[in-house]
Every structure is written in structure tokens, then in C-alpha cells.
Amino acid sequence: MIQKVLIANRGEIALRVIRACRELGIKTLAVYSEADVQSLHVQLADEAICIGGPRSSDSYLRADRIISAAEIADVDAIHPGYGFLSENAKFAEQCESCNIKFIGPKSKSIRIMGDKSVAKDTVRKAGVPTVPGSDGPVESETEAVKIARKIGYPVIIKAVAGGGGRGMRIAHNDVSFAKEYHVARNEAEKAFGNGAVYIEKYIQSPRHIEFQILADTHGKVIHLGERDCSVQRRHQKLIEEAPSPFLNADLRKKMGKAAVRAAESAEYQNAGTIEFLVDAKGNYYFIEMNTRIQVEHPVTEEVTGIDLIKQQIRIANGEKLEFDQSDITWTKHAIECRINAEDPSRNFTPSPGTISLYYAPGGHGVRVDSHVYSGYTIPPYYDSMIGKLICFGSTRKMALQRSYRALSEYLVRGIKTTIPLHKAIMSDPTFIEGKATTAYMEDFMARTPTDLF
Ligand code: ADP
């Protein structure tokens, strides 16, 4: 049985894991960088160990130091959160070989899904629709152009090791293809140390709809419904909601079954997410699987009433899932706004610094997952997300009204944030009518005066 967990992360997700552990009576060990001495996760965990310098490459990405900390403090499991080492198959393997439970899937599943073209191949064989594209990575520019012509422009060039929207370029003809192919390769090489790319048909204005999977170690795989994450900027999510205003019960059932098949094809265990693009006609295509907990997991928690972090720990403990697919119901609507320390009026430039005053909203149907407080200084080394506002109610309308109300109460002084942007979106007719696709943000920014933010 897991009695002590090392949390190999920082920020709000580290707090989220500490909270779940505490409710389960499990002790926690925080690890932190020299830039995070003042962080709440360090203060709230039962124990904390400094693992290195401010840069992630000197601390949160140092598998050797994290495993040493785990051994010194005698923990029996590691929760990787999201980002950092969460999708690193080698790290999961190291944990396995040191007899420390990795709270996530087996390294083999991470490896399959971590290479996006292997992932597509694997799920396609299981009968799950994928976006038409190259069979695996493309070997040369000449071969790539041939494939792009065959698929038909526009196409999207994507890094096989991709993540976070990086290494992804769109080409509309042979000329732009030649340029974007090299840009994508260079970007991928820089970001992931792997320049391999593959090609897909570029789907015009799709929705991004993903399914939350839970799979235990006894072969049971279920889904907890979908999240609509179509509001994105530069392929990065800004707002997520559940259920999707686009899906009907029939499509939800079909996509849910496909998601379960996709997870089974990689012998998946623990919590994971199957991402699809859905076109206007309701055709859906698998794009990738995230083999970890996701930033947007709270919207699923609020509509299903299931604590996903506790489920992850229970599964890692070898316990059976307590529910069947037919037990899962969606009785509420939830919307999450990502609060980033960025200036939306200046092309979303990061806005690190000291928060002079912080007041988080509350009241019925409001949840804030955040690690910041008045006087907290945001270090410039990490992700710009400083919190997540999740509002829920019995209807989508209620969740929207509540989001607007809560955003109006949210005070963050001393830095710029995305709060005013979210307020503008919550009162925008296209979003209110549930019509946002992945093309929404570009259009919204073009028609909205930035002095509003
Ligand atoms: P990452 O792993 O970098 O997040 P994804 O494969 O999950 O990359 O894609 C991120 C986003 O990029 C999608 O949600 C979608 O908005 C856009 N995208 C990816 N593939 C396509 C495609 N074939 N057609 C249109 N948009 C795409």
C-alpha cells in the first residue's frame, strides 16, 4: 500500500496532489528548485527537499535527483503531475526498477503514445479513426512534398515527439510547404531533441474534444466523458468545458467507445486522455493520447463527482475501479478558465513579478486551483499559469453566468493576467452559443479591441 508519495512537480498541480494524499491519509514529500523556496507546495507538504537550481533542467527535470530524494525520504510512489517528467518513459522505467511506484501508466504505454505517429498507427489498427496523413515520420523533403500533394493542401506538419503546440506548422501549397517543413523540423529538434516530423491533413475549424480515461490494473477501462477544449491560442488551451456543447448522446457514446478502444490498444493503465478533432459534420479523428493527468481534469471531476487524483493513486495501489461505465453520469456543466500571468493586450507576453494583492473568488459552484497568494513572486523560469478557475452549475448557462461573476470578483494586482480576456469571452455571443471551434480565438482577438484587456 502507498503510504508516502513524492510529488515530482510544482505549482497548482503539486498542491492538488498534496490535497488528495492528505484526504487519503498518505504522507507527502515535495521537491523544489531554489526558485520555489517560497512556494505553497513546499510549505504544505509533510516534508520537502531542494533538488537544484531554478532552471527546470537543473531541478524538476533531473530524474536522478528526484529518485535520490525518493530513496532518502523512503517514499513508495512518485506522482509526476503534468509537464516535466510526466510523459518520460525512461523516468517511469527508472521508478519501476527502483521499486518505486510511478503513479501513471507502464513505461511501455508511455513509449507507444509518446511517439505520435506510432500512437496513430496503434489506434488505427484498433479501428479508431485518425486524421489522414503520412504512414509514420517522413524521411526527406522530396518524399514529404509528394505525401502533402497526395493528402491535398492544406496540411499540417507535426513533430512525432510533439507537445504543447510546438513543432507544428501549416502549409497551403508546395512553396509554403518547403519553408514550413524546415521550420517544423528545427523547432522539433530544439524543443524535443528529435527533429522527426509527420504530415496530416489540416482539418478546417475543428473542435478539440477529448475523453478522460480511467483504466485499472485488472483490465477494466472506462471513460468519464469528454471535455471540449476548442478555445486555444497557438494550439494551447485557454478554456475547457464539460460536457461539450457540440456532442449529442449518440456521438458521445461512439467517441467514448473509440476512446476506450484506443486506450486498450496501448494496454493502458491509470488516468489518461484521448484527444480527437471533430469536424462540423461530426466526423472525429484521434490526434494523440496524453498519458498523464491533465491541467483541465477538474471540469471532469465537477461533472462526474469523481476525484481523478485519488483514482490515480488507488489504481497505482492495484485496487479495482469501483464503478462500471454505466455508473458514470454527467449531472452538471463545468467551465475552466486558465489564469495566466500574461498580458493579452500585448500579444500575451509573460508578466512575471510580485503579486501585491490576491483575492480568489468563492461561493456556490466556484472552485479555484491555484498556488499563488498576496506577496508571492512568480519566478520567470516556468509556465505562466497561476491558477485555474472552475465554475459549475446544473446548466451551461449557469456555469457561464457563474464564470463571469467569479471572474469579476477575482483580484490579482501587481501583474497582468488573462482574467479580463476571459470576462470578454464569457460575454461573447459566439462562445455563449457554444459555437467556438479551434479557429475561435484568432477571430475573437481580431475583432475585439485589446484595450478591453
Ligand atoms: P500538442 O501535443 O503539441 O498539444 P496536438 O496534436 O494535441 O499537439 O494538437 C494541438 C492542437 O493543434 C489541436 O487541438 C488542434 O487545435 C491543432 N491541430 C492538431 N492537428 C491538427 C489537424 N490535423 N488539423 C487541424 N488542427 C490540428
Side-chain angles (χ1 to χ4, degrees), residues 72-144:
I72 291 166
D74 201 19
V75 309
D76 21 45
I78 294 183
H79 195 300
Y82 49 69
F84 298 126
L85 295 169
S86 61
E87 291 182 292
N88 186 313
K90 209 166 147 206
F91 179 61
E93 218 163 62
Q94 280 171 320
C95 294
E96 283 162 21
S97 66
C98 292
N99 229 353
I100 299 165
K101 286 194 171 102
F102 177 79
I103 302 178
K106 294 267 176 263
S107 52
K108 187 181 151 200
S109 310
I110 303 180
R111 223 164 242 131
I112 294 172
M113 291 302 186
D115 181 313
K116 290 185 169 193
S117 72
V118 173
K120 275 181 79 176
D121 229 35
T122 309
V123 308
R124 195 186 308 121
K125 283 184 188 133
V128 177
T130 57
V131 186
S134 57
D135 288 330
V138 286
E139 301 296 339
S140 67
E141 190 185 328
T142 340
E143 184 206 339

Side-chain angles (χ1 to χ4, degrees), residues 116 131 156 158 162-166 168 198 200-204 206 208 232 235 275 277 287-288 438:
K116 290 185 169 193
V131 186
I156 183 164
K158 297 169 82 172
R166 283 169 304 174
M168 218 181 311
Y198 64 106
E200 264 177 9
K201 178 87 190 158
Y202 182 66
I203 316 269
Q204 302 278 5
H208 173 118
Q232 304 178 350
H235 311 303
E275 296 190 337
L277 293 183
I287 47 169
E288 68 160 344
T438 60

Side-chain angles (χ1 to χ4, degrees), residues 119-382:
K120 275 181 79 176
D121 229 35
T122 309
V123 308
R124 195 186 308 121
K125 283 184 188 133
V128 177
T130 57
V131 186
S134 57
D135 288 330
V138 286
E139 301 296 339
S140 67
E141 190 185 328
T142 340
E143 184 206 339
V145 176
K146 268 191 210 151
I147 296 170
R149 281 190 194 152
K150 201 169 139 207
I151 298 168
Y153 290 108
V155 297
I156 183 164
I157 307 155
K158 297 169 82 172
V160 297
R166 283 169 304 174
M168 218 181 311
R169 311 293 294 195
I170 300 152
H172 293 272
N173 50 49
D174 283 1
V175 177
S176 68
F177 187 89
K179 179 173 156 256
E180 302 300 352
Y181 174 76
H182 292 287
V183 175
R185 283 193 68 98
N186 285 338
E187 232 175 72
E189 182 64 51
K190 247 202 208 147
F192 316 109
N194 176 1
V197 294
Y198 64 106
I199 303 172
E200 264 177 9
K201 178 87 190 158
Y202 182 66
I203 316 269
Q204 302 278 5
S205 308
R207 291 194 179 243
H208 173 118
I209 298 179
E210 57 185 36
F211 276 72
Q212 177 66 53
I213 294 290
L214 279 182
D216 66 17
T217 54
H218 305 271
K220 191 194 271 186
V221 185
I222 63 164
H223 73 84
L224 301 191
E226 81 281 5
R227 295 183 283 260
D228 193 319
C229 316
S230 301
V231 180
Q232 304 178 350
R233 186 179 164 270
R234 299 203 173 145
H235 311 303
Q236 295 246 43
K237 298 162 189 166
L238 264 178
I239 296 174
E240 302 96 344
E241 64 177 301
S244 164
F246 183 77
L247 290 196
N248 56 34
D250 191 40
L251 192 49
R252 175 171 301 114
K253 207 168 172 180
K254 267 201 253 170
M255 289 179 69
K257 279 191 176 160
V260 166
R261 276 206 306 279
E264 284 170 344
S265 72
E267 291 170 37
Y268 200 78
Q269 293 177 358
N270 216 287
T273 298
I274 305 287
E275 296 190 337
F276 294 102
L277 293 183
V278 186
D279 70 17
K281 290 183 186 145
N283 297 309
Y284 58 92
Y285 309 95
F286 168 93
I287 47 169
E288 68 160 344
M289 177 173 201
N290 288 134
T291 56
R292 54 168 166 80
I293 195 74
Q294 284 192 276
V295 172
E296 57 271 26
H297 76 275
V299 293
T300 301
E301 295 188 322
E302 297 309 331
V303 297
T304 60
I306 293 171
D307 184 318
L308 285 165
I309 307 287
K310 284 189 190 167
Q311 290 300 324
Q312 287 194 291
I313 296 170
R314 292 186 73 251
I315 291 168
N317 243 335
E319 292 170 48
K320 286 186 172 168
L321 282 177
E322 310 150 288
F323 24 71
D324 294 321
Q325 189 62 60
S326 55
D327 297 324
I328 308 299
T329 51
W330 303 276
T331 51
K332 286 191 200 135
H333 198 98
I335 298 175
E336 173 180 280
C337 296
R338 295 193 189 194
I339 314 299
N340 296 339
E342 289 170 0
D343 185 350
S345 69
R346 289 196 187 167
N347 207 21
F348 294 82
T349 43
S351 179
T354 300
I355 298 176
S356 52
L357 176 75
Y358 180 80
Y359 173 79
H364 191 196
V366 176
R367 164 176 172 182
V368 177
D369 281 17
S370 169
H371 60 290
V372 307
Y373 51 85
S374 290
Y376 175 76
T377 301
I378 302 161
Y381 309 100
Y382 316 107

